[in-house]
């Protein structure tokens, strides 16, 4: 049981770190794109939100897997 809790905690922690890095990369590239072409702001913002949604899927999946690991025998 103790190793299951540890594994779930590690999975959640790594997912949070991965999402933080991914969000930073996506937003950083978005800001670079706006600095280069301010007139493309609308298209870039749409693509940024799609990218952020895909990046944020990872922690949600990790939470589901962590809960499954925690509550199964």
């Amino acid at each position: 049981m103790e190793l299951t809790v540890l594994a779930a905690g590690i999975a959640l922690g790594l997912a949070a770190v991965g999402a933080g890095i991914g969000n930073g990369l996506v937003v950083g590239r978005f800001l670079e794109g706006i600095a280069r072409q301010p007139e493309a702001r609308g298209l870039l913002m749409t693509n940024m939100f799609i990218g952020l949604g895909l990046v944020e899927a990872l922690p949600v999946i990790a939470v589901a897997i962590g809960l499954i690991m925690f509550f199964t025998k």
Side-chain angles (χ1 to χ4, degrees):
M1 180 68 180
E2 296 84 20
L3 291 178
T4 305
V5 174
L6 179 65
I10 290 172
L12 294 175
L14 290 176
V17 168
I21 292 170
N23 285 340
L25 290 174
V26 169
V27 173
R29 299 298 161 95
F30 167 68
L31 293 174
E32 286 177 13
I34 287 182
R36 291 175 189 256
Q37 282 188 317
E39 67 274 2
R41 181 179 179 268
L43 178 64
L44 290 173
M45 188 172 292
T46 301
N47 289 335
M48 180 197 65
F49 285 133
I50 291 171
L52 287 177
L54 292 173
V55 168
E56 287 298 323
L58 174 71
V60 172
I61 293 169
V63 167
I65 291 173
L67 288 173
I68 289 170
M69 290 170 53
F70 186 71
F71 287 114
T72 57
K73 292 182 182 181

